[in-house]
Amino acid sequence: MTQRWALLATSAFVTLMVWLGGCGPAEPPQFPLNTEGRKAGAIGPAQREAILGTLGRLYGSPDEPRVPEGVDLDPARLRAAAGPVRPDGDGRVVGLYRRHCAQCHGIGGDGAGPAALLLNPYPRDFRQGIFKYTRTASGAKPVRDDLEEILRFGVTGTAMPSFARLEDQDRANLIEYVKYLSVRGETELFLLQLIVDEDEYLPLSMSIVMEDGVIPLADLWEQSAEFVVVPPSPPPVATEEQWLASVELGRVLYQNDDARCVECHGPEGRGDGEEEEIYDDWNKPKAGLTAAQTRALAERFTLPIQRLRPRDFTTGILRTGDRPDRLYWLTHVGIQGTPMPAAGPQPGVFGPLKPDEIWHVVHYIRHLAGQGKP
Ligand code: HEC
Ligand code: HEC
């Protein structure tokens, strides 16, 4: 009897270890190669080796992250976020990314963790370096405050939870790790283009990889602060009269043809505009011209195709929650990785709405969402 229990306990333990460790305790997990959109077998063994080898030298592994020379990422923060979940000796738990994020965002940040298939929208694939919720113009990277807000508030109406209960330094470590996965992922795309698409002669020169790939990609994160949009002060809406006047002005601006909001969000903001077949940048490459093409393309991607819907403001559930400044920013700079355009001025472009006008539109959207005065 005791023997049988011991056997059962051992097999349960082994199952648990294999599950926790992915490949079992002996084999540390590796970053999977990004094969999205490519035919099976399109990447030759030598090319595969060159890409993964180069990435390993530059960025290390999920258990032992490395920071390439000249890239501004804090190795201590990365170590706290990376690796298996474990105590760090000071009474803290580290391995934060695998503890809190990997089940959705995947160990390599591909947005295809075990839970991803069930979710709509899918968790972000960090490897393209595209983020939706920024306060930065012209497709610039998010600033750290943008990512901090995402972690603090989550994304309402999606599976992305709030991590407000974590300590500030844990969130800071995780943000550093998201940047790391993103720069690593964009370096990988750069290598795929060079080695597979352009069939570059191997071995690659490391100085080309650094000067044309890693450094400019990492610099984009450093430069994003220059693109921050500062909203003007909102118009006064202290009295009910002022509020309704602003909402009405917002409605007129929203329905103006130049602004184009109606095309997607519909005349009354119900998300029923004429624009029908829309996808985000992660799903668009999965859409063929015919249904048969789309089915054939499906084999090349990890997750099935997912349509994108323009927001129906009247459901009252906004991704931005109840935060008027976020609503301002999304309207001003647009939503990267989606067809939602920028309505405010961008460097070198006027845009259909002036900053003051955007506030009225924000008030109209809040009114539609039943949120009322900020
Ligand atoms: C239960 C699943 C789930 C977990 C756990 C999760 N996320 Fe997410 N995350 C999502 C989904 C879904 C989205 C996409 C939301 C959208 O597109 O609006 C997302 C989006 C994001 C974004 C992108 C925001 C942008 O501007 O594009 C970041 C950054 C992010 N998550 C970081 C994290 C981090 C860091 C953790 C762990 C601390 C984490 N997430 C845990 C599901 C999850
Ligand atoms: C080409 C289509 C398109 C046009 C034009 C467009 N939008 Fe959008 N909009 C979208 C899509 C799609 C989403 C949802 C994106 C997502 O879920 O990632 C969205 C989302 C939004 C959100 C996010 C709300 C939230 O917090 O959940 C706001 C605000 C918004 N749009 C305002 C506007 C305004 C104002 C205009 C006109 C100035 C406009 N949009 C024009 C497609 C469009």
Side-chain angles (χ1 to χ4, degrees), residues 100-101 103-105 119 121-124 126 130-133 147 150-151 155 158-161 163 174 178 319:
H100 298 295
C101 322
Q103 69 272 35
C104 288
H105 291 283
L119 306 178
Y122 292 134
R124 187 74 61 257
F126 299 130
I130 304 170
F131 293 83
K132 282 188 190 172
Y133 308 114
L147 296 175
I150 289 292
L151 290 195
V155 183
T158 79
M160 173 64 198
F163 292 94
L174 285 161
V178 167
R319 300 284 200 258

Side-chain angles (χ1 to χ4, degrees), residues 114-158:
L117 191 60
L118 307 173
L119 306 178
N120 188 348
Y122 292 134
R124 187 74 61 257
D125 176 352
F126 299 130
R127 300 172 305 176
Q128 272 96 323
I130 304 170
F131 293 83
K132 282 188 190 172
Y133 308 114
T134 72
R135 67 192 67 193
T136 48
S138 293
K141 298 289 178 203
V143 288
R144 92 168 294 105
D145 282 351
D146 290 320
L147 296 175
E148 164 67 18
E149 278 185 24
I150 289 292
L151 290 195
R152 200 175 273 276
F153 297 104
V155 183
T156 315
T158 79

